[in-house]
Amino acid sequence: MSEMANLDPEGIDGVRMTWNVWPRTKVEASKCVIPLAACIAPIRPHPDIPTLPYSPLRCKTCSAVLNPFSQVDFTARIWICPFCYQRNHFPPHYAGISETNLPGELYPQYTTVQYALPQSANPNAHDSSPQSHPSPVFLFVLDTCMIEEEMGFVKSALKRAIGLLPENALVGFISYGTQVQVHELGFSDMSKVYVFRGSKEIAKEQILDQLGLGSTGRRPVVGGYQPKVVQNVYPGTGINRFLLPASDCEYTLNLLLDELQPDQWPVAPGSRASRCTGVAISVAAGLLGACLPGTGARIVALVGGPCTEGPGAIVSKDMSDPVRSHKDLDKDAAPFFRKAVKFYDGLAKQLVSQGHVLDVFASALDQVGVAEMKVAIEKTGGLVVLAESFGHSVFKDSFKRVFEEGEHSLGLCFNGTLEINCSKDIKIQGIIGPCTSLEKKGTTVADTVVGEGNTTEWKMCGLDSSTCLTVFFDLSSSDRSNTPGVSNPQLFLQFLTRYQNTDGQMMLRVTTITRAWVDTAVSSEVELVQGFDQETAAVVMARKTSLKMESEESFDATRWLDRSLIRLCSKFGDYRKDDPSSFTLNPSFSLFPQFMFNLRRSQFVQVFNNSPDETAYFRMLLNRENITNAAVMIQPSLMAYSFNSLPTPALLDVASIAADRILLLDSYFSVVVFHGMTIAQWRNMGYQNQPEHQAFAQLLQAPHADAQLIIQGRFPVPRLVVCDQHGSQARFLLAKLNPSATYNNAHDMAAGSDVIFTDDVSLQVFFEHLQRLAVQS
């Protein structure tokens, strides 16, 4: 069983918590240092989750859903809500209920169930027939300010994507450079284009009027793609001029892409191309907002450089002005930054109110403004991929994965809302992750806010099977609100996720979990310690640190993390006062300091050497991935391959490098295959091609096969780096290793191993300082 638990720590519920046993009071909780938080994967597929074909029963007081923890009185046909203790009567259609005849939602093993909501419960249904699920919409927005070669790469990627779309998906196409061109795909006799100026902001109403979709033309076509009859009644109006089913417009679109030229606007020497990304995305949002209220839609933006024109511009056209760096942002010397963020924040609000998603695929050697767009991507739950070129596998393979069906499909869903119910005394501070607060107040809202807070309900315009959110909890400040006599030993949390699945069906996923309260004033800390999940705690600390670095001025992340770690070790370590050598940590905590050491050195905390775009990209992925993946971003995994043993996990340390070893490093964003000196020499001599050296050929092949396995199951597709010891690309590995051997102690080293030229402290020195500070009285 423990073997299994390790493989799938989230289980059927898709929930992992920093503490699996909770202290009773706010004071005790604050002494625990690591916040009370739950990481939830709201729609992660699991073979054991049943789908029930009816609507759920809700408590009439707190509207929690009936679940296995509800107490049921079968004779009186009453159930008691575990959240507010309200007695609820079962409705007539539950008349046959008994201890031997339970509905699915009361089976003790089904703590997570799914309800397929009847179509009438879906306010966006355009038609009462059961087949009429709204079609998903994909509106492609393509930057044309790029060289011919890049244009070729992006066109072929687009053609492949359109071929992979489901037949009923609606497709629209907007291209932009100095101006924005909205292509009327419904007019196939010749190419017909509506052009918008790229230099100023355009109101939504104005966009609609110019496209002939003003209130007069729009009224008859409120829903998705309309049947042909409507087209005949209202010739040439409505959305079906711009958004067509993929099967109808594939030929037209391919033709259009073949004819599409790079932006023809002249660019003066020493200047950047004028590119109006902001206006293009807002025209796309306007077009979707007019046409399809309540239907799942994605704006897929393919961006090839920085926005220099109109709202959302991040840099001037003069090449002598560099794009903003972290230093500029710290010193407030980035004149465009705040204005652009404000523009995208407004756009995010519009997209959230419409229920639509913004995805950004950025491929350029320079920054394109992902740091400014982050707010719109994250609040709508969009996908983001950052690559160096549209011809790079990071872009090509990731873009293909978005539209693929089958086992590697992302499972893109739309129009999600998340609602959380919790036991008395528990308050919700907020969520870090791809969602937006709906500002729905309630008794369970905490005074302090973390991330998207002040609410018990959140909107997720786009979500997929791997989306993960981190919910932060607080305890109410009253010292002993439950009198000891009647106190409930268990706490309950319920997560309700409503969403439109890939087939357009509205679903409701209900997860109810329970954990034990522990009164540390009465019992010892043993239970608390055993319930600590160090991997989740490390990820939660990383997410909280990233948030603080973005939102608090002059926040010193390294110092904050060090202080938290010292306080945690002082509270939970075993030691004699002022004797560092006596310090030991319980196994439940033993890996945590190492995670913190790697987090301090990671790209999330050390932003030096990364652009603001890269930092924003890394943080968005850190906030939306599951715990296992996020832990790899913080502390990469290392495998060693050699002749005389099977592939084995190796320490993330420079001492793991050896001349006759191949190392495979997975740091989530890149996968590195590193050949030791001797191996590289043999390979260059071609030994692997000789029949008597079959074993060597297999040794060379093994890490590549494992690297492909990692790459296949991951989105965005990581960058594969194949390098040799002392080669220039070896930096991808060396930067992640613990510098236990540096140029200071290079003399006492084994032959064939390596040193790292750094003044960073090593893990051992870090540990010694931690022990000394933790035991201080």
Side-chain angles (χ1 to χ4, degrees), residues 696-766:
F696 180 56
Q698 283 164 355
L699 176 67
L700 280 181
Q701 190 45 46
H704 282 276
D706 289 352
Q708 282 313 317
L709 276 177
I710 294 171
I711 288 170
Q712 266 169 15
R714 187 168 293 171
F715 181 90
V717 171
R719 167 187 187 147
L720 177 65
V721 178
V722 180
C723 60
D724 298 339
Q725 191 174 357
H726 308 310
S728 69
Q729 299 248 297
R731 64 182 190 277
F732 282 98
L733 172 73
L734 296 178
K736 297 287 181 190
L737 299 180
N738 166 35
S740 60
T742 66
Y743 62 94
N744 295 322
N745 53 3
H747 46 269
D748 44 273
M749 278 179 50
S753 59
D754 221 322
V755 293
I756 294 178
F757 292 96
T758 180
D759 288 321
D760 277 0
V761 294
S762 67
L763 182 61
Q764 193 172 358
V765 175
F766 178 77

Side-chain angles (χ1 to χ4, degrees), residues 143-439:
D143 175 2
T144 57
C145 293
M146 48 177 117
I147 56 170
E148 201 69 65
E149 187 187 18
E150 286 288 300
M151 200 78 175
F153 291 138
V154 80
K155 280 179 185 179
S156 66
L158 266 172
K159 286 179 181 177
R160 187 176 353 153
I162 293 157
L164 287 169
L165 284 173
E167 300 245 308
N168 68 334
L170 299 179
V171 180
F173 184 65
I174 293 176
S175 58
Y176 73 94
T178 311
Q179 291 150 339
V180 181
Q181 290 93 23
V182 182
H183 298 265
E184 190 176 314
L185 301 177
F187 195 78
S188 53
D189 307 344
M190 54 185 257
S191 55
K192 189 170 171 186
V193 176
Y194 290 76
V195 179
F196 292 84
R197 265 177 65 184
S199 52
K200 66 176 201 296
E201 208 165 328
I202 313 169
K204 182 171 161 180
E205 288 67 39
Q206 216 178 333
I207 294 169
L208 299 181
D209 285 343
Q210 283 202 31
L211 294 173
L213 295 173
S215 47
T216 45
R218 193 175 106 231
R219 202 163 292 132
V221 272
V222 158
Y225 182 68
Q226 292 294 317
K228 293 279 185 276
V229 193
V230 181
Q231 260 177 297
N232 301 343
V233 179
Y234 297 99
T237 63
I239 197 51
N240 37 27
R241 292 165 30 224
F242 299 102
L243 299 181
L244 273 77
S247 51
D248 291 7
C249 70
E250 188 171 352
Y251 174 73
T252 318
L253 238 169
N254 279 340
L255 217 61
L256 196 159
L257 284 170
D258 288 335
E259 290 171 4
L260 198 65
Q261 299 288 321
D263 191 47
Q264 298 298 306
W265 211 261
V267 180
S271 294
R272 292 184 175 89
S274 65
R275 184 186 277 108
C276 60
T277 313
V279 174
I281 294 174
S282 73
V283 166
L287 172 62
L288 287 177
C291 321
L292 305 156
T295 302
R298 305 188 87 92
I299 296 172
V300 183
L302 299 137
V303 187
C307 176
T308 55
E309 179 85 47
I314 64 158
V315 67
S316 73
K317 292 196 185 82
D318 188 353
M319 284 279 208
S320 58
D321 293 342
V323 184
R324 77 252 164 319
S325 65
H326 277 295
K327 220 172 197 163
D328 297 331
L329 295 181
D330 290 343
K331 294 198 303 213
D332 215 2
F336 294 91
F337 185 74
R338 292 228 167 113
K339 215 167 150 190
V341 171
K342 191 177 166 198
F343 167 75
Y344 282 111
D345 191 45
L347 199 61
K349 288 192 175 81
Q350 181 189 336
L351 286 168
V352 168
S353 69
Q354 293 171 190
H356 299 154
V357 188
L358 172 64
D359 298 327
V360 174
F361 292 85
S363 295
L365 289 168
D366 201 359
Q367 301 180 69
V368 302
V370 171
E372 285 82 354
M373 294 179 196
K374 177 176 189 278
V375 54
I377 300 168
E378 204 154 41
K379 285 194 171 182
T380 61
L383 304 170
V384 57
V385 174
L386 204 55
E388 289 170 10
S389 148
F390 284 113
H392 201 289
S393 65
V394 171
F395 165 74
K396 284 199 305 197
D397 297 347
S398 302
F399 195 63
K400 189 168 126 227
R401 281 279 304 281
V402 176
F403 305 99
E404 258 177 351
E405 295 292 309
E407 60 167 335
H408 291 311
S409 141
L410 297 181
L412 299 179
C413 298
F414 295 102
N415 276 319
T417 52
L418 170 72
E419 212 180 312
I420 300 179
N421 297 313
C422 37
S423 293
K424 187 169 167 260
D425 294 334
I426 300 175
K427 306 283 182 204
I428 304 163
Q429 291 182 325
I431 291 184
I432 294 181
C435 63
T436 306
S437 161
L438 285 176
E439 302 287 336

Side-chain angles (χ1 to χ4, degrees), residues 27-194:
V27 176
E28 287 299 323
S30 69
K31 285 183 189 163
C32 288
V33 187
I34 307 295
L36 297 171
C39 294
I40 60 168
I43 61 167
R44 192 183 73 129
H46 192 284
D48 298 343
I49 297 176
T51 300
L52 310 173
Y54 45 86
S55 292
L57 280 192
R58 285 184 174 247
C59 167
K60 60 187 180 199
T61 310
C62 68
S63 77
V65 169
L66 177 65
N67 59 73
F69 305 110
S70 311
Q71 288 176 311
V72 179
D73 179 342
F74 292 104
T75 43
R77 301 226 158 74
I78 281 173
W79 61 280
I80 300 171
C81 169
F83 294 95
C84 65
Y85 308 117
Q86 168 71 45
R87 298 163 73 82
N88 297 280
H89 288 276
F90 281 105
H93 59 273
Y94 276 77
I97 190 171
S98 71
E99 284 180 33
T100 53
N101 183 18
L102 289 174
E105 64 266 40
L106 284 177
Y107 276 63
Q109 71 270 36
Y110 292 152
T111 45
T112 294
V113 294
Q114 258 189 167
Y115 296 91
L117 299 176
Q119 196 66 18
S120 57
N122 176 5
N124 311 321
H126 326 307
D127 182 348
S128 53
S129 69
Q131 286 79 30
S132 72
H133 293 315
S135 311
V137 179
F138 294 89
L139 179 52
F140 294 99
V141 179
L142 174 64
D143 175 2
T144 57
C145 293
M146 48 177 117
I147 56 170
E148 201 69 65
E149 187 187 18
E150 286 288 300
M151 200 78 175
F153 291 138
V154 80
K155 280 179 185 179
S156 66
L158 266 172
K159 286 179 181 177
R160 187 176 353 153
I162 293 157
L164 287 169
L165 284 173
E167 300 245 308
N168 68 334
L170 299 179
V171 180
F173 184 65
I174 293 176
S175 58
Y176 73 94
T178 311
Q179 291 150 339
V180 181
Q181 290 93 23
V182 182
H183 298 265
E184 190 176 314
L185 301 177
F187 195 78
S188 53
D189 307 344
M190 54 185 257
S191 55
K192 189 170 171 186
V193 176
Y194 290 76

Side-chain angles (χ1 to χ4, degrees), residues 20 45 94 191 368 460 512 634 687 761 772:
N20 287 300
Y94 276 77
S191 55
V368 302
M460 297 174 283
T512 315
I634 298 166
Y687 284 168
V761 294
R772 201 184 72 238

Side-chain angles (χ1 to χ4, degrees), residues 488-503:
N488 190 342
Q490 297 292 105
L491 63 99
F492 298 96
L493 301 169
Q494 188 175 66
F495 305 101
L496 309 168
T497 313
R498 225 187 116 100
Y499 65 99
Q500 186 182 323
N501 72 7
T502 42
D503 305 325

